[in-house]
Amino acid sequence: MAYTRGNLAVKEKASQERVTQQRYKETTKVVTRRTGLPAREKILYLITLVAVILVGGALMSRYAHIYDLNKQAQSTISDIKVYEKTIADLQVEKETLNNQVIENAKQLGYVEASGKDVIYVPRSTSTKSTGTESSSNTASSK
């Protein structure tokens, strides 16, 4: 017998009846069948899916092309910076070589021509063709 809050007078039959009543319970289940989609609707979904895929592919290809152009532009800019540095180095080297030419000429005994001195240098040709002789005659006659 169970002891419940100080009361020993408990019916055992009531608890046994509850257990027997809950043993069987009737339930009804509604089963619905889902019908398939009509052919037109399937084709519509398929066409929509293909259109979305084509638009997405076109956008992705455009973005890939833009990315490629940006990459080419950045590499060109970096190449330009390298070439500008090389040009600056060559300009400095050119200036030093020009200064060395003047110094070397003075060491060899050459003198700078003044503005009044005019130097005529006749043209000499190594080949004997009539075209070059006529051009040398016109140059010397001027």
mmCIF file with all atom_site columns, all heavy atoms in Angstrom, residues 29-52:
data_model
loop_
_atom_site.group_PDB
_atom_site.id
_atom_site.type_symbol
_atom_site.label_atom_id
_atom_site.label_alt_id
_atom_site.label_comp_id
_atom_site.label_asym_id
_atom_site.label_entity_id
_atom_site.label_seq_id
_atom_site.pdbx_PDB_ins_code
_atom_site.Cartn_x
_atom_site.Cartn_y
_atom_site.Cartn_z
_atom_site.occupancy
_atom_site.B_iso_or_equiv
_atom_site.pdbx_formal_charge
_atom_site.auth_seq_id
_atom_site.auth_comp_id
_atom_site.auth_asym_id
_atom_site.auth_atom_id
_atom_site.pdbx_PDB_model_num
ATOM 1   N N   . LYS A 1 29 ? -5.940 8.643  -38.933 1.00 0.00 ? 29 LYS A N   1
ATOM 2   C CA  . LYS A 1 29 ? -4.888 9.342  -39.648 1.00 0.00 ? 29 LYS A CA  1
ATOM 3   C C   . LYS A 1 29 ? -5.393 9.624  -41.049 1.00 0.00 ? 29 LYS A C   1
ATOM 4   O O   . LYS A 1 29 ? -5.872 8.736  -41.740 1.00 0.00 ? 29 LYS A O   1
ATOM 5   C CB  . LYS A 1 29 ? -3.626 8.487  -39.705 1.00 0.00 ? 29 LYS A CB  1
ATOM 6   C CG  . LYS A 1 29 ? -2.455 9.181  -40.284 1.00 0.00 ? 29 LYS A CG  1
ATOM 7   C CD  . LYS A 1 29 ? -1.212 8.326  -40.157 1.00 0.00 ? 29 LYS A CD  1
ATOM 8   C CE  . LYS A 1 29 ? -0.009 9.064  -40.692 1.00 0.00 ? 29 LYS A CE  1
ATOM 9   N NZ  . LYS A 1 29 ? 1.200  8.248  -40.635 1.00 0.00 ? 29 LYS A NZ  1
ATOM 10  N N   . VAL A 1 30 ? -5.254 10.878 -41.455 1.00 0.00 ? 30 VAL A N   1
ATOM 11  C CA  . VAL A 1 30 ? -5.695 11.277 -42.783 1.00 0.00 ? 30 VAL A CA  1
ATOM 12  C C   . VAL A 1 30 ? -4.481 11.213 -43.699 1.00 0.00 ? 30 VAL A C   1
ATOM 13  O O   . VAL A 1 30 ? -3.475 11.861 -43.467 1.00 0.00 ? 30 VAL A O   1
ATOM 14  C CB  . VAL A 1 30 ? -6.292 12.693 -42.770 1.00 0.00 ? 30 VAL A CB  1
ATOM 15  C CG1 . VAL A 1 30 ? -6.699 13.114 -44.167 1.00 0.00 ? 30 VAL A CG1 1
ATOM 16  C CG2 . VAL A 1 30 ? -7.459 12.759 -41.809 1.00 0.00 ? 30 VAL A CG2 1
ATOM 17  N N   . VAL A 1 31 ? -4.562 10.427 -44.724 1.00 0.00 ? 31 VAL A N   1
ATOM 18  C CA  . VAL A 1 31 ? -3.487 10.278 -45.689 1.00 0.00 ? 31 VAL A CA  1
ATOM 19  C C   . VAL A 1 31 ? -3.895 11.029 -46.948 1.00 0.00 ? 31 VAL A C   1
ATOM 20  O O   . VAL A 1 31 ? -4.948 10.765 -47.522 1.00 0.00 ? 31 VAL A O   1
ATOM 21  C CB  . VAL A 1 31 ? -3.221 8.794  -46.002 1.00 0.00 ? 31 VAL A CB  1
ATOM 22  C CG1 . VAL A 1 31 ? -2.145 8.657  -47.055 1.00 0.00 ? 31 VAL A CG1 1
ATOM 23  C CG2 . VAL A 1 31 ? -2.877 8.044  -44.744 1.00 0.00 ? 31 VAL A CG2 1
ATOM 24  N N   . THR A 1 32 ? -3.028 11.990 -47.362 1.00 0.00 ? 32 THR A N   1
ATOM 25  C CA  . THR A 1 32 ? -3.315 12.729 -48.588 1.00 0.00 ? 32 THR A CA  1
ATOM 26  C C   . THR A 1 32 ? -2.239 12.408 -49.596 1.00 0.00 ? 32 THR A C   1
ATOM 27  O O   . THR A 1 32 ? -1.050 12.378 -49.266 1.00 0.00 ? 32 THR A O   1
ATOM 28  C CB  . THR A 1 32 ? -3.341 14.253 -48.332 1.00 0.00 ? 32 THR A CB  1
ATOM 29  O OG1 . THR A 1 32 ? -2.103 14.645 -47.780 1.00 0.00 ? 32 THR A OG1 1
ATOM 30  C CG2 . THR A 1 32 ? -4.468 14.610 -47.386 1.00 0.00 ? 32 THR A CG2 1
ATOM 31  N N   . ARG A 1 33 ? -2.636 12.174 -50.779 1.00 0.00 ? 33 ARG A N   1
ATOM 32  C CA  . ARG A 1 33 ? -1.689 11.923 -51.857 1.00 0.00 ? 33 ARG A CA  1
ATOM 33  C C   . ARG A 1 33 ? -1.414 13.222 -52.578 1.00 0.00 ? 33 ARG A C   1
ATOM 34  O O   . ARG A 1 33 ? -2.329 13.981 -52.885 1.00 0.00 ? 33 ARG A O   1
ATOM 35  C CB  . ARG A 1 33 ? -2.248 10.914 -52.852 1.00 0.00 ? 33 ARG A CB  1
ATOM 36  C CG  . ARG A 1 33 ? -2.158 9.534  -52.391 1.00 0.00 ? 33 ARG A CG  1
ATOM 37  C CD  . ARG A 1 33 ? -2.491 8.658  -53.547 1.00 0.00 ? 33 ARG A CD  1
ATOM 38  N NE  . ARG A 1 33 ? -2.014 7.319  -53.291 1.00 0.00 ? 33 ARG A NE  1
ATOM 39  C CZ  . ARG A 1 33 ? -2.144 6.331  -54.123 1.00 0.00 ? 33 ARG A CZ  1
ATOM 40  N NH1 . ARG A 1 33 ? -2.722 6.527  -55.284 1.00 0.00 ? 33 ARG A NH1 1
ATOM 41  N NH2 . ARG A 1 33 ? -1.684 5.139  -53.832 1.00 0.00 ? 33 ARG A NH2 1
ATOM 42  N N   . ARG A 1 34 ? -0.152 13.428 -52.849 1.00 0.00 ? 34 ARG A N   1
ATOM 43  C CA  . ARG A 1 34 ? 0.234  14.633 -53.566 1.00 0.00 ? 34 ARG A CA  1
ATOM 44  C C   . ARG A 1 34 ? 0.303  14.301 -55.042 1.00 0.00 ? 34 ARG A C   1
ATOM 45  O O   . ARG A 1 34 ? 1.005  13.387 -55.455 1.00 0.00 ? 34 ARG A O   1
ATOM 46  C CB  . ARG A 1 34 ? 1.595  15.115 -53.074 1.00 0.00 ? 34 ARG A CB  1
ATOM 47  C CG  . ARG A 1 34 ? 1.949  16.443 -53.604 1.00 0.00 ? 34 ARG A CG  1
ATOM 48  C CD  . ARG A 1 34 ? 3.138  17.006 -52.885 1.00 0.00 ? 34 ARG A CD  1
ATOM 49  N NE  . ARG A 1 34 ? 3.464  18.282 -53.511 1.00 0.00 ? 34 ARG A NE  1
ATOM 50  C CZ  . ARG A 1 34 ? 4.630  18.838 -53.466 1.00 0.00 ? 34 ARG A CZ  1
ATOM 51  N NH1 . ARG A 1 34 ? 5.598  18.253 -52.826 1.00 0.00 ? 34 ARG A NH1 1
ATOM 52  N NH2 . ARG A 1 34 ? 4.842  19.992 -54.048 1.00 0.00 ? 34 ARG A NH2 1
ATOM 53  N N   . THR A 1 35 ? -0.397 15.070 -55.784 1.00 0.00 ? 35 THR A N   1
ATOM 54  C CA  . THR A 1 35 ? -0.395 14.822 -57.222 1.00 0.00 ? 35 THR A CA  1
ATOM 55  C C   . THR A 1 35 ? 0.840  15.462 -57.840 1.00 0.00 ? 35 THR A C   1
ATOM 56  O O   . THR A 1 35 ? 1.380  16.446 -57.338 1.00 0.00 ? 35 THR A O   1
ATOM 57  C CB  . THR A 1 35 ? -1.654 15.412 -57.882 1.00 0.00 ? 35 THR A CB  1
ATOM 58  O OG1 . THR A 1 35 ? -1.676 16.817 -57.639 1.00 0.00 ? 35 THR A OG1 1
ATOM 59  C CG2 . THR A 1 35 ? -2.910 14.774 -57.308 1.00 0.00 ? 35 THR A CG2 1
ATOM 60  N N   . GLY A 1 36 ? 1.320  14.938 -58.947 1.00 0.00 ? 36 GLY A N   1
ATOM 61  C CA  . GLY A 1 36 ? 2.487  15.471 -59.637 1.00 0.00 ? 36 GLY A CA  1
ATOM 62  C C   . GLY A 1 36 ? 2.179  16.786 -60.324 1.00 0.00 ? 36 GLY A C   1
ATOM 63  O O   . GLY A 1 36 ? 1.019  17.156 -60.538 1.00 0.00 ? 36 GLY A O   1
ATOM 64  N N   . LEU A 1 37 ? 3.232  17.511 -60.656 1.00 0.00 ? 37 LEU A N   1
ATOM 65  C CA  . LEU A 1 37 ? 3.061  18.794 -61.341 1.00 0.00 ? 37 LEU A CA  1
ATOM 66  C C   . LEU A 1 37 ? 2.694  18.549 -62.799 1.00 0.00 ? 37 LEU A C   1
ATOM 67  O O   . LEU A 1 37 ? 3.181  17.602 -63.427 1.00 0.00 ? 37 LEU A O   1
ATOM 68  C CB  . LEU A 1 37 ? 4.358  19.597 -61.280 1.00 0.00 ? 37 LEU A CB  1
ATOM 69  C CG  . LEU A 1 37 ? 4.794  20.070 -59.896 1.00 0.00 ? 37 LEU A CG  1
ATOM 70  C CD1 . LEU A 1 37 ? 6.165  20.708 -59.982 1.00 0.00 ? 37 LEU A CD1 1
ATOM 71  C CD2 . LEU A 1 37 ? 3.804  21.045 -59.331 1.00 0.00 ? 37 LEU A CD2 1
ATOM 72  N N   . PRO A 1 38 ? 1.903  19.415 -63.350 1.00 0.00 ? 38 PRO A N   1
ATOM 73  C CA  . PRO A 1 38 ? 1.589  19.289 -64.775 1.00 0.00 ? 38 PRO A CA  1
ATOM 74  C C   . PRO A 1 38 ? 2.833  19.551 -65.622 1.00 0.00 ? 38 PRO A C   1
ATOM 75  O O   . PRO A 1 38 ? 3.785  20.200 -65.183 1.00 0.00 ? 38 PRO A O   1
ATOM 76  C CB  . PRO A 1 38 ? 0.538  20.372 -65.022 1.00 0.00 ? 38 PRO A CB  1
ATOM 77  C CG  . PRO A 1 38 ? 0.076  20.824 -63.685 1.00 0.00 ? 38 PRO A CG  1
ATOM 78  C CD  . PRO A 1 38 ? 1.122  20.457 -62.706 1.00 0.00 ? 38 PRO A CD  1
ATOM 79  N N   . ALA A 1 39 ? 2.838  19.055 -66.829 1.00 0.00 ? 39 ALA A N   1
ATOM 80  C CA  . ALA A 1 39 ? 3.998  19.164 -67.725 1.00 0.00 ? 39 ALA A CA  1
ATOM 81  C C   . ALA A 1 39 ? 4.331  20.622 -68.035 1.00 0.00 ? 39 ALA A C   1
ATOM 82  O O   . ALA A 1 39 ? 5.495  21.010 -68.093 1.00 0.00 ? 39 ALA A O   1
ATOM 83  C CB  . ALA A 1 39 ? 3.747  18.393 -69.003 1.00 0.00 ? 39 ALA A CB  1
ATOM 84  N N   . ARG A 1 40 ? 3.323  21.447 -68.245 1.00 0.00 ? 40 ARG A N   1
ATOM 85  C CA  . ARG A 1 40 ? 3.568  22.861 -68.562 1.00 0.00 ? 40 ARG A CA  1
ATOM 86  C C   . ARG A 1 40 ? 4.269  23.576 -67.411 1.00 0.00 ? 40 ARG A C   1
ATOM 87  O O   . ARG A 1 40 ? 5.164  24.387 -67.615 1.00 0.00 ? 40 ARG A O   1
ATOM 88  C CB  . ARG A 1 40 ? 2.248  23.561 -68.875 1.00 0.00 ? 40 ARG A CB  1
ATOM 89  C CG  . ARG A 1 40 ? 1.669  23.188 -70.197 1.00 0.00 ? 40 ARG A CG  1
ATOM 90  C CD  . ARG A 1 40 ? 0.412  23.978 -70.469 1.00 0.00 ? 40 ARG A CD  1
ATOM 91  N NE  . ARG A 1 40 ? -0.155 23.602 -71.757 1.00 0.00 ? 40 ARG A NE  1
ATOM 92  C CZ  . ARG A 1 40 ? -1.316 24.037 -72.191 1.00 0.00 ? 40 ARG A CZ  1
ATOM 93  N NH1 . ARG A 1 40 ? -2.038 24.841 -71.431 1.00 0.00 ? 40 ARG A NH1 1
ATOM 94  N NH2 . ARG A 1 40 ? -1.755 23.661 -73.366 1.00 0.00 ? 40 ARG A NH2 1
ATOM 95  N N   . GLU A 1 41 ? 3.838  23.251 -66.196 1.00 0.00 ? 41 GLU A N   1
ATOM 96  C CA  . GLU A 1 41 ? 4.448  23.891 -65.041 1.00 0.00 ? 41 GLU A CA  1
ATOM 97  C C   . GLU A 1 41 ? 5.895  23.426 -64.867 1.00 0.00 ? 41 GLU A C   1
ATOM 98  O O   . GLU A 1 41 ? 6.781  24.210 -64.530 1.00 0.00 ? 41 GLU A O   1
ATOM 99  C CB  . GLU A 1 41 ? 3.632  23.582 -63.785 1.00 0.00 ? 41 GLU A CB  1
ATOM 100 C CG  . GLU A 1 41 ? 3.961  24.473 -62.617 1.00 0.00 ? 41 GLU A CG  1
ATOM 101 C CD  . GLU A 1 41 ? 2.971  24.308 -61.478 1.00 0.00 ? 41 GLU A CD  1
ATOM 102 O OE1 . GLU A 1 41 ? 1.919  23.689 -61.666 1.00 0.00 ? 41 GLU A OE1 1
ATOM 103 O OE2 . GLU A 1 41 ? 3.287  24.821 -60.390 1.00 0.00 ? 41 GLU A OE2 1
ATOM 104 N N   . LYS A 1 42 ? 6.157  22.160 -65.125 1.00 0.00 ? 42 LYS A N   1
ATOM 105 C CA  . LYS A 1 42 ? 7.526  21.650 -65.063 1.00 0.00 ? 42 LYS A CA  1
ATOM 106 C C   . LYS A 1 42 ? 8.410  22.345 -66.090 1.00 0.00 ? 42 LYS A C   1
ATOM 107 O O   . LYS A 1 42 ? 9.544  22.735 -65.790 1.00 0.00 ? 42 LYS A O   1
ATOM 108 C CB  . LYS A 1 42 ? 7.545  20.141 -65.322 1.00 0.00 ? 42 LYS A CB  1
ATOM 109 C CG  . LYS A 1 42 ? 7.018  19.309 -64.197 1.00 0.00 ? 42 LYS A CG  1
ATOM 110 C CD  . LYS A 1 42 ? 7.095  17.839 -64.556 1.00 0.00 ? 42 LYS A CD  1
ATOM 111 C CE  . LYS A 1 42 ? 6.456  16.968 -63.495 1.00 0.00 ? 42 LYS A CE  1
ATOM 112 N NZ  . LYS A 1 42 ? 6.487  15.554 -63.853 1.00 0.00 ? 42 LYS A NZ  1
ATOM 113 N N   . ILE A 1 43 ? 7.906  22.529 -67.293 1.00 0.00 ? 43 ILE A N   1
ATOM 114 C CA  . ILE A 1 43 ? 8.668  23.206 -68.348 1.00 0.00 ? 43 ILE A CA  1
ATOM 115 C C   . ILE A 1 43 ? 8.917  24.658 -67.960 1.00 0.00 ? 43 ILE A C   1
ATOM 116 O O   . ILE A 1 43 ? 10.009 25.194 -68.172 1.00 0.00 ? 43 ILE A O   1
ATOM 117 C CB  . ILE A 1 43 ? 7.936  23.089 -69.703 1.00 0.00 ? 43 ILE A CB  1
ATOM 118 C CG1 . ILE A 1 43 ? 7.966  21.635 -70.169 1.00 0.00 ? 43 ILE A CG1 1
ATOM 119 C CG2 . ILE A 1 43 ? 8.570  23.997 -70.744 1.00 0.00 ? 43 ILE A CG2 1
ATOM 120 C CD1 . ILE A 1 43 ? 7.142  21.380 -71.414 1.00 0.00 ? 43 ILE A CD1 1
ATOM 121 N N   . LEU A 1 44 ? 7.908  25.294 -67.364 1.00 0.00 ? 44 LEU A N   1
ATOM 122 C CA  . LEU A 1 44 ? 8.071  26.681 -66.924 1.00 0.00 ? 44 LEU A CA  1
ATOM 123 C C   . LEU A 1 44 ? 9.173  26.787 -65.870 1.00 0.00 ? 44 LEU A C   1
ATOM 124 O O   . LEU A 1 44 ? 10.029 27.677 -65.933 1.00 0.00 ? 44 LEU A O   1
ATOM 125 C CB  . LEU A 1 44 ? 6.752  27.221 -66.373 1.00 0.00 ? 44 LEU A CB  1
ATOM 126 C CG  . LEU A 1 44 ? 6.793  28.652 -65.828 1.00 0.00 ? 44 LEU A CG  1
ATOM 127 C CD1 . LEU A 1 44 ? 7.054  29.633 -66.964 1.00 0.00 ? 44 LEU A CD1 1
ATOM 128 C CD2 . LEU A 1 44 ? 5.511  28.980 -65.112 1.00 0.00 ? 44 LEU A CD2 1
ATOM 129 N N   . TYR A 1 45 ? 9.171  25.890 -64.896 1.00 0.00 ? 45 TYR A N   1
ATOM 130 C CA  . TYR A 1 45 ? 10.220 25.892 -63.883 1.00 0.00 ? 45 TYR A CA  1
ATOM 131 C C   . TYR A 1 45 ? 11.592 25.634 -64.501 1.00 0.00 ? 45 TYR A C   1
ATOM 132 O O   . TYR A 1 45 ? 12.586 26.260 -64.129 1.00 0.00 ? 45 TYR A O   1
ATOM 133 C CB  . TYR A 1 45 ? 9.942  24.839 -62.806 1.00 0.00 ? 45 TYR A CB  1
ATOM 134 C CG  . TYR A 1 45 ? 8.791  25.186 -61.885 1.00 0.00 ? 45 TYR A CG  1
ATOM 135 C CD1 . TYR A 1 45 ? 8.024  24.177 -61.303 1.00 0.00 ? 45 TYR A CD1 1
ATOM 136 C CD2 . TYR A 1 45 ? 8.471  26.495 -61.586 1.00 0.00 ? 45 TYR A CD2 1
ATOM 137 C CE1 . TYR A 1 45 ? 6.978  24.480 -60.451 1.00 0.00 ? 45 TYR A CE1 1
ATOM 138 C CE2 . TYR A 1 45 ? 7.434  26.804 -60.737 1.00 0.00 ? 45 TYR A CE2 1
ATOM 139 C CZ  . TYR A 1 45 ? 6.686  25.793 -60.171 1.00 0.00 ? 45 TYR A CZ  1
ATOM 140 O OH  . TYR A 1 45 ? 5.659  26.107 -59.327 1.00 0.00 ? 45 TYR A OH  1
ATOM 141 N N   . LEU A 1 46 ? 11.652 24.715 -65.431 1.00 0.00 ? 46 LEU A N   1
ATOM 142 C CA  . LEU A 1 46 ? 12.919 24.399 -66.092 1.00 0.00 ? 46 LEU A CA  1
ATOM 143 C C   . LEU A 1 46 ? 13.451 25.591 -66.872 1.00 0.00 ? 46 LEU A C   1
ATOM 144 O O   . LEU A 1 46 ? 14.637 25.921 -66.799 1.00 0.00 ? 46 LEU A O   1
ATOM 145 C CB  . LEU A 1 46 ? 12.745 23.189 -67.012 1.00 0.00 ? 46 LEU A CB  1
ATOM 146 C CG  . LEU A 1 46 ? 13.994 22.704 -67.727 1.00 0.00 ? 46 LEU A CG  1
ATOM 147 C CD1 . LEU A 1 46 ? 15.000 22.195 -66.717 1.00 0.00 ? 46 LEU A CD1 1
ATOM 148 C CD2 . LEU A 1 46 ? 13.644 21.627 -68.721 1.00 0.00 ? 46 LEU A CD2 1
ATOM 149 N N   . ILE A 1 47 ? 12.584 26.273 -67.614 1.00 0.00 ? 47 ILE A N   1
ATOM 150 C CA  . ILE A 1 47 ? 12.990 27.446 -68.391 1.00 0.00 ? 47 ILE A CA  1
ATOM 151 C C   . ILE A 1 47 ? 13.456 28.563 -67.454 1.00 0.00 ? 47 ILE A C   1
ATOM 152 O O   . ILE A 1 47 ? 14.458 29.238 -67.707 1.00 0.00 ? 47 ILE A O   1
ATOM 153 C CB  . ILE A 1 47 ? 11.842 27.915 -69.313 1.00 0.00 ? 47 ILE A CB  1
ATOM 154 C CG1 . ILE A 1 47 ? 11.636 26.897 -70.430 1.00 0.00 ? 47 ILE A CG1 1
ATOM 155 C CG2 . ILE A 1 47 ? 12.125 29.295 -69.882 1.00 0.00 ? 47 ILE A CG2 1
ATOM 156 C CD1 . ILE A 1 47 ? 10.427 27.165 -71.290 1.00 0.00 ? 47 ILE A CD1 1
ATOM 157 N N   . THR A 1 48 ? 12.749 28.749 -66.343 1.00 0.00 ? 48 THR A N   1
ATOM 158 C CA  . THR A 1 48 ? 13.142 29.766 -65.377 1.00 0.00 ? 48 THR A CA  1
ATOM 159 C C   . THR A 1 48 ? 14.514 29.444 -64.786 1.00 0.00 ? 48 THR A C   1
ATOM 160 O O   . THR A 1 48 ? 15.370 30.326 -64.653 1.00 0.00 ? 48 THR A O   1
ATOM 161 C CB  . THR A 1 48 ? 12.099 29.859 -64.250 1.00 0.00 ? 48 THR A CB  1
ATOM 162 O OG1 . THR A 1 48 ? 10.820 30.106 -64.829 1.00 0.00 ? 48 THR A OG1 1
ATOM 163 C CG2 . THR A 1 48 ? 12.434 30.965 -63.280 1.00 0.00 ? 48 THR A CG2 1
ATOM 164 N N   . LEU A 1 49 ? 14.727 28.195 -64.448 1.00 0.00 ? 49 LEU A N   1
ATOM 165 C CA  . LEU A 1 49 ? 16.013 27.779 -63.900 1.00 0.00 ? 49 LEU A CA  1
ATOM 166 C C   . LEU A 1 49 ? 17.152 27.994 -64.892 1.00 0.00 ? 49 LEU A C   1
ATOM 167 O O   . LEU A 1 49 ? 18.209 28.513 -64.544 1.00 0.00 ? 49 LEU A O   1
ATOM 168 C CB  . LEU A 1 49 ? 15.947 26.308 -63.475 1.00 0.00 ? 49 LEU A CB  1
ATOM 169 C CG  . LEU A 1 49 ? 17.202 25.728 -62.857 1.00 0.00 ? 49 LEU A CG  1
ATOM 170 C CD1 . LEU A 1 49 ? 17.473 26.394 -61.519 1.00 0.00 ? 49 LEU A CD1 1
ATOM 171 C CD2 . LEU A 1 49 ? 17.076 24.233 -62.701 1.00 0.00 ? 49 LEU A CD2 1
ATOM 172 N N   . VAL A 1 50 ? 16.929 27.643 -66.145 1.00 0.00 ? 50 VAL A N   1
ATOM 173 C CA  . VAL A 1 50 ? 17.956 27.833 -67.181 1.00 0.00 ? 50 VAL A CA  1
ATOM 174 C C   . VAL A 1 50 ? 18.238 29.319 -67.372 1.00 0.00 ? 50 VAL A C   1
ATOM 175 O O   . VAL A 1 50 ? 19.398 29.726 -67.502 1.00 0.00 ? 50 VAL A O   1
ATOM 176 C CB  . VAL A 1 50 ? 17.511 27.159 -68.499 1.00 0.00 ? 50 VAL A CB  1
ATOM 177 C CG1 . VAL A 1 50 ? 18.395 27.582 -69.652 1.00 0.00 ? 50 VAL A CG1 1
ATOM 178 C CG2 . VAL A 1 50 ? 17.511 25.655 -68.348 1.00 0.00 ? 50 VAL A CG2 1
ATOM 179 N N   . ALA A 1 51 ? 17.199 30.155 -67.361 1.00 0.00 ? 51 ALA A N   1
ATOM 180 C CA  . ALA A 1 51 ? 17.395 31.598 -67.530 1.00 0.00 ? 51 ALA A CA  1
ATOM 181 C C   . ALA A 1 51 ? 18.218 32.172 -66.375 1.00 0.00 ? 51 ALA A C   1
ATOM 182 O O   . ALA A 1 51 ? 19.133 32.980 -66.591 1.00 0.00 ? 51 ALA A O   1
ATOM 183 C CB  . ALA A 1 51 ? 16.047 32.307 -67.627 1.00 0.00 ? 51 ALA A CB  1
ATOM 184 N N   . VAL A 1 52 ? 17.928 31.748 -65.158 1.00 0.00 ? 52 VAL A N   1
ATOM 185 C CA  . VAL A 1 52 ? 18.676 32.240 -64.001 1.00 0.00 ? 52 VAL A CA  1
ATOM 186 C C   . VAL A 1 52 ? 20.137 31.809 -64.089 1.00 0.00 ? 52 VAL A C   1
ATOM 187 O O   . VAL A 1 52 ? 21.059 32.588 -63.810 1.00 0.00 ? 52 VAL A O   1
ATOM 188 C CB  . VAL A 1 52 ? 18.022 31.749 -62.690 1.00 0.00 ? 52 VAL A CB  1
ATOM 189 C CG1 . VAL A 1 52 ? 18.924 31.971 -61.494 1.00 0.00 ? 52 VAL A CG1 1
ATOM 190 C CG2 . VAL A 1 52 ? 16.701 32.452 -62.474 1.00 0.00 ? 52 VAL A CG2 1
#
